[in-house]
């Protein structure tokens, strides 16, 4: 099940990196609850505006930020990208049934 794999990967990521999903007060409450409760991520709030979201997101190894209007992005330190690519390879192997 893809959901269980995503949850497992997220749990493993949290043992290696700090991960945060920064939102504004205008964000959908259901998304915030999902990120906190189901994904067990830290979800700090920022003032409205990408510049405020970005300022908080860069404090995490992997920072994700978005506003209710759809503006946002992710921030990942380059050193962690190689590790993340290892997970990508595993996901393709599992998806293609090669295991």
């Amino acid at each position: 099940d893809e959901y269980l794999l995503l949850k497992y990967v997220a749990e493993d990521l949290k043992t290696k990196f700090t991960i945060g999903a920064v939102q504004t007060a205008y964000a959908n409450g259901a998304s915030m609850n999902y990120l906190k409760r189901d994904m067990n991520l830290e979800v700090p709030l920022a003032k409205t505006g990408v510049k405020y979201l970005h300022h908080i997101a860069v404090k995490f190894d992997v920072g994700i930020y978005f506003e209710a209007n759809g503006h946002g992005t992710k921030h990942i330190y380059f050193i962690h990208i190689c590790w993340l690519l290892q997970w990508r390879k595993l996901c393709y192997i599992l998806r293609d049934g090669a295991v």
Side-chain angles (χ1 to χ4, degrees):
D1 179 52
E2 292 174 1
Y3 173 76
L4 292 175
L5 178 61
L6 176 61
K7 210 166 175 180
Y8 178 77
V9 170
E11 287 300 318
D12 192 47
L13 283 173
K14 287 186 292 186
T15 65
K16 294 169 179 46
F17 311 128
T18 59
I19 303 174
V22 186
Q23 294 185 326
T24 67
Y26 295 106
N28 181 319
S31 70
M32 185 179 298
N33 289 338
Y34 172 77
L35 292 168
K36 284 182 174 181
R37 184 184 59 235
D38 295 345
M39 297 304 289
N40 199 25
L41 294 177
E42 188 174 338
V43 186
L45 290 178
K47 293 179 185 178
T48 301
V50 171
K51 67 181 179 181
Y52 297 111
L53 293 156
H54 182 80
H55 180 72
I56 295 173
V58 297
K59 294 178 181 178
F60 296 96
D61 294 325
V62 178
I64 303 160
Y65 60 93
F66 48 89
E67 293 184 289
N69 64 8
H71 295 159
T73 192
K74 69 260 173 226
H75 168 80
I76 303 172
Y77 284 101
F78 182 76
I79 193 79
H80 303 314
I81 291 176
C82 291
W83 187 91
L84 292 170
L85 289 174
Q86 292 174 3
W87 269 111
R88 181 178 176 209
K89 183 178 178 182
L90 175 62
C91 290
Y92 284 132
I93 290 169
L94 292 173
R95 181 196 69 194
D96 296 338
V99 175

